[in-house]
Structures are given as C-alpha cells and as structure tokens.
Amino acid sequence: MKFGIIVNEGPFTHQASDSAYRFAVATVEKGHRVIRVFFYYDGVNNGNKLSSPQADDRNLVKLWGELAAEHKVDLVVCVTAALRRGIKEEILADGFRISGLGQLIEMSLAADRTLVFGD
Amino acid sequence: MMLHTVNKSPFERNALESCLRLAASGASVLLIEDGVIAALAGTPAGDRIAERAGDLKFYALGPDIDARGLGDRPLIDGVEIVDYGGFVDLVVAHDAVNTWL
Amino acid sequence: MAEDQPVEFDTQGVKKRFMFVNRRAPYGSIYALEILEMVLISAAFEQHAAIVFIDDGVFQIKKGQDTKSLGIKNFSPTYGVVEMEKQDAEEDDDMDMVWRIIVEKESMEARGLSADDLIVGVEVLGADALSALMDAQDVVLSG
C-alpha cells in the first residue's frame, strides 16, 4: 500500500513529528511505501538544517533526511507555510524540497491511505 | 470503516469526547501520544469509552504508554495495546484515518 | 536540494471525498487559516469536499469578526470564496464536484449560536448524520 503522511508540527515542541517518523519507519518495515511526507503549518520547521538538538537525543531533521534517502520518500515543505516561518532554501535540510500546497492534495489522491500527525 | 486516532489526554482536550460523539458504529479508535491517558482505569474518560465499547474497537499505542510510565497501571477493559507495526496494520485494515487533535 | 524537483504521481481521473475538519476557534492559532488555504487549493483539483465545523470551529465562520485592535488580518471573508466555489460547482453541469459546508448542530447550539450568526450558508447536521458522513470519507484532513 502507498501511504501519504502530513506533519502539522515542528520537531521537539510536539510529538507529532516523532510519531509520524516512527509510523513511517514501521510502514516501510512492513513492506509498504511512504510516497510523500508533506510538512504543513509549523511542520515546515522539520526541514530546518540549523536544528541542533542535544547530542544524546534524536535528531529529527536528520532522521527524516535519512529516511528519505534510504526509502525514496519525497519530503515536501509547504512554500506558503515556510515563508511565514522563515524556512527558505538556504537553510533547507538534506532530503527536503519546498513546494506548493497542491502537492498535499496530489499526495492524497495518489496514496491509498493519508494520515495526519499534529497537535 | 474509519480508524480514528486521538492524541490528546481527555483531561486536556475535548478531542476524545468529540471523537466518541461522532465515530460511527464499527469504527476503531486508536489512542496515541498523550491520548493513551484515556486508557487508564478509574477515570471519567473510561466511562465515555465504556459507553461505546459495544460498537467501537479501542486500541492504545504501547510505546506511548511505556514512555509515560503507565505500563504498570491498570488499564480499562477492552483496550488492545499495539505497537507501531500494529498501528500500520490498523491503518491498512480501515478505509481511512480521522485524526482528532 | 537547491531546486524544486517535482515528483510526479499519476492521479488522472482520481476523484475522492475529502473532509476538512475545523475544530478550533480563529486567531488563537493559525489552524483555521491554513486549513482554509488547503480547502481553496483543493478546488483546483475538482475533488469532492465536506468543509465541516465542529466544537470551537464554529467560531471560524461567526459573523462580525473585528480584528483591528489585534492587528491580525481578518480572513473570515475568505469563507465567502469557499461558498462561491461550492455554488459554481453546483451550477456547472460539466463539473463533477460536490462541496458541502457543514456545521455540527450540537457544537453550534452548545455555544449559543444559530445559522443566522454565520457568515456563509451552512447545512446544520446533527451528530448522527455527521457521523455517517464522516465515515464515508476517503481523506480526512484535520488542523
């Protein structure tokens, strides 16, 4: 099955990004595909390469990028939400791209299941 | 059939209450994140869940229960604990997911 | 990655039933506005949409929002665009797109409101009817 995931919150402040990540990992472990993860609202902050969590804690920005590279997951940061929050190309982390809100709708059309992680 | 997820504690938000008001018979409800607090025995949320236990299936995400130190607490009857793999299986087994925030 | 390299999916001819669930009041958070932006984008894809207001979400479409003293943009007039998209879809025989704007009766009444207090025309559905509609959706988007 093809999954589309929407992440509404940034890393660390809420559990949404963690839950979405763990779910995405479990999805591929079960042999399914995550076709896209769309980061909306504060979720765009998951694409900020300047995020520097404590060394003994998980680095969500890196984890998402590694998941994308290993399993060809398309990580999309919403351009309108990103502009509001100051997320621009020059600080975009590896594995992420910035694109329009239409990519969320398109993902939902292409996926067998779409789910939202938020606050 | 819909899979509903609830990620907030019933003490904090009305998400579970609204979910239980609007979930159609035969659906499933998965408690995740702070939502697992609703699975604790002896709280008012337990009564709400019990009212719908006849026509909804209830699940709670084990890793979230463990993280909050609730693994040693009595849970309400009829809530099945699943891991993330089980979460994926639930999504596959239902037609769509309704996230209550 | 310096450029937006589009990842294409084949969604030709795909038609789904989307439900946009609004449960929060406006201005206390941005969820109301950013869900609205999602709703308007979905029009371009000619998908079915049920735009639903539950719990405090009913306040998003309350008449008479005056945000001047807060200095926040009053975006409630944009719901009028949603209503227009809905009407256009109804009037266009060539378009297979059904949009509904729905308020949950229990939520509205618990907050002392009636349909006359709202800035757009709405269907008022009781919990049972809304429950059945919710259960029939292909994609549910919450903010």
Side-chain angles (χ1 to χ4, degrees):
Chain A
M1 258 195 192
K2 291 180 288 191
F3 286 72
I5 295 174
I6 298 166
V7 179
N8 288 1
E9 300 299 337
F12 307 109
T13 304
H14 299 99
Q15 196 182 351
S17 183
D18 285 286
S19 298
Y21 174 77
R22 298 281 150 218
F23 181 86
V25 167
T27 299
V28 300
E29 279 173 0
K30 287 246 162 193
H32 300 291
R33 252 195 81 203
V34 178
I35 60 173
R36 178 171 290 159
V37 181
F38 192 88
F39 296 89
Y40 195 37
Y41 311 96
D42 278 353
V44 299
N45 290 313
N46 285 285
N48 186 342
K49 72 179 181 192
L50 303 179
S51 168
S52 306
Q54 293 174 336
D56 62 350
D57 201 354
R58 78 274 191 224
N59 186 325
L60 278 164
V61 175
K62 284 216 164 61
L63 286 174
W64 279 115
E66 285 161 10
L67 183 80
E70 200 178 326
H71 297 286
K72 290 195 180 10
V73 181
D74 184 29
L75 305 181
V76 179
V77 161
C78 175
V79 61
T80 329
L83 282 173
R84 280 194 173 107
R85 293 159 178 87
I87 301 297
K88 297 181 169 181
E89 289 291 349
E90 49 263 49
I91 61 164
L92 201 60
D94 285 339
F96 291 80
R97 65 185 181 92
I98 298 179
S99 191
L101 196 41
Q103 300 271 291
L104 181 160
I105 304 296
E106 192 205 37
M107 173 189 80
S108 302
L109 296 180
D112 298 302
R113 299 287 184 273
T114 298
L115 56 167
V116 175
F117 291 89
D119 181 56
Chain B
M1 275 295 114
M2 187 71 74
L3 172 67
H4 299 267
T5 68
V6 177
N7 77 326
K8 287 295 171 191
S9 164
F11 294 101
E12 180 190 340
R13 293 254 181 106
N14 69 353
L16 177 66
E17 188 187 314
S18 294
C19 170
L20 294 180
R21 188 172 73 248
L22 290 166
S25 269
S28 299
V29 178
L30 170 65
L31 305 170
I32 68 170
E33 300 180 5
D34 292 343
V36 300
I37 289 166
L40 289 177
T43 77
D47 294 339
R48 305 266 75 77
I49 290 175
E51 278 164 22
R52 298 284 327 251
D55 70 321
L56 297 177
K57 293 216 273 285
F58 289 92
Y59 302 86
L61 196 56
D64 280 317
I65 289 179
D66 295 340
R68 289 155 181 79
L70 304 179
D72 60 357
R73 308 298 302 161
L75 302 182
I76 56 182
D77 287 333
V79 177
E80 188 182 326
I81 311 295
V82 297
D83 59 11
Y84 272 95
F87 186 172
V88 174
D89 290 340
L90 282 172
V91 176
V92 169
H94 290 74
D95 301 313
V97 182
N98 187 346
T99 302
W100 295 86
L101 300 171
Chain C
M1 201 173 277
E3 280 162 33
D4 176 20
Q5 294 158 29
V7 172
E8 306 265 329
F9 301 129
D10 180 12
T11 57
Q12 179 74 24
V14 177
K15 185 85 66 175
K16 290 193 179 181
R17 288 158 299 189
F18 283 76
M19 179 174 275
F20 298 89
V21 178
N22 298 282
R23 288 181 49 245
R24 304 195 221 228
Y27 308 115
S29 60
I30 202 172
Y31 300 105
L33 171 60
E34 289 190 322
I35 277 206
L36 186 51
E37 288 174 347
M38 250 202 284
V39 170
L40 293 171
I41 284 282
S42 78
F45 290 80
E46 280 191 28
Q47 300 295 309
H48 302 309
I51 300 113
V52 177
F53 299 90
I54 300 172
D55 296 326
D56 282 346
V58 301
F59 290 116
Q60 292 178 24
I61 48 173
K62 168 82 182 52
K63 279 178 183 157
Q65 293 176 27
D66 178 358
T67 62
K68 277 194 253 17
S69 311
L70 284 186
I72 301 178
K73 180 178 166 189
N74 177 358
F75 63 91
S76 63
T78 314
Y79 291 102
V81 178
V82 175
E83 197 171 31
M84 261 169 39
E85 292 284 358
K86 171 178 170 297
Q87 278 159 4
D88 287 349
E90 278 161 11
E91 285 157 18
D92 188 341
D93 291 331
D94 292 331
M95 210 193 274
D96 174 27
M97 177 174 122
V98 176
W99 274 28
R100 298 171 70 177
I101 305 173
I102 293 164
V103 164
E104 191 208 12
K105 182 169 184 286
E106 288 77 353
S107 295
M108 187 177 70
E109 290 176 354
R111 288 156 179 81
L113 298 176
S114 74
D116 290 338
D117 293 313
L118 306 179
I119 50 178
V120 287
V122 298
E123 288 178 64
V124 179
L125 293 187
D128 286 346
L130 181 52
S131 171
L133 179 67
M134 225 174 214
D135 204 52
Q137 299 304 306
D138 299 310
V139 181
V140 182
L141 298 173
S142 326

